[in-house]
Amino acid sequence: MSEGQLIYLNGEFVDPKRATVSVFDHGFLYGDGIFEGIRAYGGNIFRLRQHIVRLYESAKSILLQIPLTFEEMQQAVAETVRRNGLKDAYIRLVVSRGPGDLGLDPHNCSGANVIIIADQIKLYPQEFYDQGLRVVTVPTRRNNPDALNPKIKSLNYLNNILTKIEASRAGALEALILNQDGYVCEASGDNVFIVKNGRVITPPTYLGALEGITRNAIIEICQREGIPVAEEPFTRHDVFVADECFLTGTAAELIPVVEVDGREIGRGVPGEMTKRLLEHFRALTRVDGYQVYPEAASHQV
Ligand code: PMP
């Protein structure tokens, strides 16, 4: 919460103290809802359209009716950033099932709550990028796609939270999560890549991973730059013997991983490909997005 902050709550901009929802909201009672984490760079909301597509796809999958059109939702996000006078921001967009009764049945919910919070971005410590992360694989497996598909960015993040707790209890900052068959899926809140012999590889999302906007941007950058890239299943062993490993996500961008389960990855320092891709990614965040302040942008030209 910051001074003078305004929260979007169902079409109104309200003080954080007034930005409240019912204790009967099924988002609160059951994790029944969806969300997005979005980032703005210098007044440019990075890939807003893709985030809103993912939100509406998640909504469709869980039969949740969003009371705004796609266009209205884009504008609401941009307006929230504008009202808060932000250029660089982390934006949290939440759509919950809304207030119902204590029963599970969402038919008794009166309508979705739409919440947009735009806040100053809290950057990860620079040492993560300079030195890389030590991560561990954890006992809790990724949600089985047949039970709750990890492609749905639902409010039910208990699976992810448990893996985060297990990682920190093991003295690591991040978890690598495997699926039921032992294939690597993703981290608790980021996608995962390895680099081997010049090839950049990430697990296919059908194994059990969110289709990250950052992940897709990295795949596109590789294709554009002529860097071999593939979506292929891989195991812990493949990670141990990789030349490089890194995680991707909206908040983190690209973070090098230098150790997994006590095995040094490559030479134990952030790899050249990881650094090169981070540079390309940061360049893309300047140009590929939704302009929050179009007049300011046209004055600059
Ligand atoms: N996986 C999970 C489980 C996530 O929550 C996220 C978002 N933080 C990601 C991957 C990365 O997705 P994106 O690049 O769209 O932020």
Side-chain angles (χ1 to χ4, degrees):
M1 212 189 284
S2 39
E3 188 67 24
Q5 191 179 23
L6 287 172
I7 313 288
Y8 175 101
L9 177 63
N10 298 325
E12 283 181 56
F13 287 94
V14 298
D15 183 89
K17 291 201 186 73
R18 283 185 50 227
T20 54
V21 293
S22 163
V23 292
F24 289 99
D25 190 313
H26 278 208
F28 173 69
L29 287 175
Y30 295 118
D32 183 357
I34 51 176
F35 77 103
E36 279 297 318
I38 311 171
R39 193 158 160 182
Y41 292 84
N44 184 40
I45 306 178
F46 183 63
R47 299 206 161 174
L48 177 59
R49 167 161 267 283
Q50 282 97 321
H51 280 283
I52 306 292
V53 166
R54 188 168 68 184
L55 182 84
Y56 278 74
E57 288 185 355
S58 292
K60 183 169 188 186
S61 192
I62 69 162
L63 295 147
L64 171 62
Q65 189 68 38
I66 301 181
L68 277 80
T69 65
F70 190 96
E71 273 312 313
E72 286 169 345
M73 187 62 92
Q74 284 208 111
Q75 280 161 21
V77 172
E79 186 61 20
T80 309
V81 175
R82 218 176 284 130
R83 292 272 188 129
N84 284 281
L86 293 165
K87 287 196 164 160
D88 297 308
Y90 181 78
I91 306 152
R92 176 56 59 89
L93 168 52
V94 179
V95 185
S96 68
R97 189 78 69 176
D101 57 24
L102 292 180
L104 281 176
D105 192 347
H107 284 112
N108 298 321
C109 296
S110 57
N113 275 316
V114 180
I115 297 152
I116 309 171
I117 305 166
D119 213 341
Q120 275 155 17
I121 175 103
K122 291 179 189 69
L123 296 176
Y124 282 79
Q126 184 56 35
E127 65 184 77
F128 285 17
Y129 300 90
D130 294 341
Q131 290 161 25
L133 289 187
R134 285 176 46 243
V135 310
V136 289
T137 55
V138 289
T140 295
R141 299 296 172 113
R142 193 73 180 99
N143 279 335
N144 189 320
D146 289 338
L148 175 57
N149 197 316
K151 278 190 174 182
I152 302 166
K153 200 162 168 59
S154 86
L155 289 182
N156 190 327
Y157 252 46
L158 196 50
N159 179 237
N160 312 55
I161 291 165
L162 289 175
T163 66
K164 189 84 179 173
I165 293 171
E166 286 168 354
S168 63
R169 285 186 161 231
L173 284 173
E174 215 5 293
L176 267 194
I177 317 172
L178 313 179
N179 71 5
Q180 296 298 320
D181 300 320
Y183 288 107
V184 176
C185 290
E186 58 182 337
S188 69
D190 292 304
N191 289 110
V192 61
F193 285 75
I194 55 172
V195 182
K196 180 78 174 175
N197 298 329
R199 287 176 80 230
V200 176
I201 309 161
T202 192
T205 54
Y206 63 75
L207 291 184
L210 184 73
E211 191 166 341
I213 309 291
T214 321
R215 168 191 186 276
N216 287 355
I218 294 302
I219 293 173
E220 283 169 38
I221 289 168
C222 288
Q223 287 164 342
R224 189 191 69 200
E225 296 299 311
I227 300 165
V229 60
E231 293 176 74
E232 275 171 17
F234 55 81
T235 61
R236 284 169 77 225
H237 171 79
D238 299 317
V239 181
F240 299 155
V241 300
D243 302 324
E244 299 181 30
C245 177
F246 61 89
L247 308 180
T248 65
T250 293
E253 301 181 318
L254 268 78
I255 293 203
V257 171
V258 293
E259 190 186 299
V260 177
D261 293 342
R263 281 80 160 181
E264 208 171 67
I265 306 301
R267 280 189 268 132
V269 291
E272 288 309 311
M273 181 71 84
T274 307
K275 287 194 225 160
R276 183 177 163 198
L277 291 173
L278 177 58
E279 246 175 62
H280 280 297
F281 178 76
R282 287 195 168 149
L284 195 65
T285 59
R286 303 280 143 201
V287 292
D288 189 350
Y290 184 107
Q291 283 298 331
V292 178
Y293 307 98
E295 300 107 52
S298 60
H299 287 320
Q300 277 164 16
V301 184

